[in-house]
Structure formats: structure tokens, C-alpha cells
Amino acid sequence: MSGDETARAADVLRNLADPTRLHLLRLLATAPQDVSELTDQVDASRSSVSQHLGRLRHSGLVAADRVGRRMLYRLTSDHLAALVAEAYQFAAHDLHGIPHHRGGG
């Protein structure tokens, strides 16, 4: 693994470290949505959601497509959707005392 890969992975995880951004990514993993739809589902103002989406776009984690007058945001990778899902599954196991899965070795 190269230093560039490690730096990029750390950048991705930094973006996931914010609860609002993580929630937005989880929502976008289900379907593309616009700012209004996303704002209705998170505990943040429209301007805050827009700022978070801008940061996620700048990081290459989210893309936007114009559909008529709306901008629909979507994840750029199925790998990212899987990473977000795994983070939530880890949290659920941790919070509810469910044993974590461990591969045999």
C-alpha cells in the first residue's frame, strides 16, 4: 500500500468523522436526493447541509447532477456506500452489546 493510498483513505475517513456528513452519506447510499430532501432528514439547516455537500463534492465522495431545476446528489462509489454501511453496523453492534464478527485465522 502506498503513502498516497494511506493519505487518501485518511481523507475519506476524516470526511466520515462528522456526524452530519456521515448521515448524509448514509441517506445518499439509498438514492440520489436534493438539498431539500436531505435537509428534511437531518438535524441541520439547509445552509449547513449545502456546506457539507460542498465539502463531500470537493473530496470526490459525492457528485451532483442537474435534473431540471434540481441538483441531485449521489455517492460516487459503491465502495463508499459499503464503508458507510459497515460503520453503522459496527456502531450498532457496539451500542447494543452484539458480539463483533471476526474472521477465523
Side-chain angles (χ1 to χ4, degrees):
M1 183 171 319
S2 74
D4 290 343
E5 289 172 346
T6 300
R8 179 60 178 145
D11 180 56
V12 170
L13 293 174
R14 251 190 309 281
N15 278 288
L16 271 63
D18 180 89
T20 300
R21 285 195 296 273
L22 184 60
H23 192 181
L24 290 170
L25 292 170
R26 185 179 194 194
L27 294 169
L28 291 173
T30 63
Q33 299 181 55
D34 67 20
V35 174
S36 295
E37 293 168 318
L38 292 166
T39 301
D40 289 343
Q41 300 174 76
V42 297
D43 187 25
S45 68
R46 182 182 176 93
S47 65
S48 176
V49 169
S50 291
Q51 289 176 356
H52 284 295
L53 289 169
R55 181 167 177 172
L56 293 168
R57 281 181 70 188
H58 181 72
S59 294
L61 304 180
V62 168
D65 302 305
R66 184 168 294 285
V67 178
R69 296 177 59 172
R70 299 170 55 204
M71 290 295 285
L72 290 180
Y73 294 88
R74 61 177 171 76
L75 297 186
T76 57
S77 171
D78 290 340
H79 293 288
L80 180 58
L83 180 60
V84 169
E86 286 291 332
Y88 274 92
Q89 288 175 1
F90 180 90
H93 278 73
D94 203 46
L95 290 172
H96 302 292
I98 301 167
H100 291 281
H101 308 283
R102 297 200 43 141

